[in-house]
Amino acid sequence: MKINKVHHVAIICSDYERSLNFYTDILGLRVLAEHYREDRKSYKTDLGVGDNYVVELFSFPSPPPRPSHPEAAGLRHLAFEVDDIEASVAELEAKNIPHEEIRIDGYTSKRFVFFHDPDGLPIEFYEL
């Protein structure tokens, strides 16, 4: 089997407009395509980072909440690579996005920080 790369990450949000604003206006992802599916009463929006297709943002009527605990089984978090962790944290702060303290990866010595999307999904910025 030959896997080339991660194609996308799918996120189901509880409030489409709020999450779309977060991922586009706060994080700067670009809308590549937006489709409303009448039969499902839901949106499926493709978002990009740089030249890559990365996130599918879905909305559904009344999705059940997903418990999110740092060490729970399942997908742990969504990580984005950034050039400058301090500049990225300053942007989060300017947009009133709470975040944890900057930490250092014990294996790579790279800096990273965690924060959450509007539904509590853990997101990481990891410095190049």
Side-chain angles (χ1 to χ4, degrees), residues 101-117:
E101 294 297 315
I102 295 172
R103 295 191 260 167
I104 297 176
D105 186 307
Y107 294 105
T108 66
S109 299
K110 300 285 186 172
R111 298 185 303 167
F112 64 97
V113 66
F114 280 100
F115 57 100
H116 293 93
D117 86 345

Side-chain angles (χ1 to χ4, degrees), residues 28-30 32 48-54:
L29 278 65
R30 293 177 297 104
L32 303 175
V49 174
D51 294 329
N52 297 310
Y53 168 52
V54 177

Side-chain angles (χ1 to χ4, degrees), residues 1-12:
M1 179 181 316
K2 179 182 178 283
I3 296 175
N4 294 324
K5 62 182 178 180
V6 173
H7 186 264
H8 68 272
V9 174
I11 298 171
I12 297 173

Side-chain angles (χ1 to χ4, degrees), residues 12 17-18 25 28 33 40 42 48 52 54 62 86-87 98 102 107 118 120:
I12 297 173
E17 292 300 327
R18 180 181 67 174
D25 294 343
R40 300 178 100 182
S42 72
N52 297 310
V54 177
S62 304
E86 290 174 10
I102 295 172
Y107 294 105

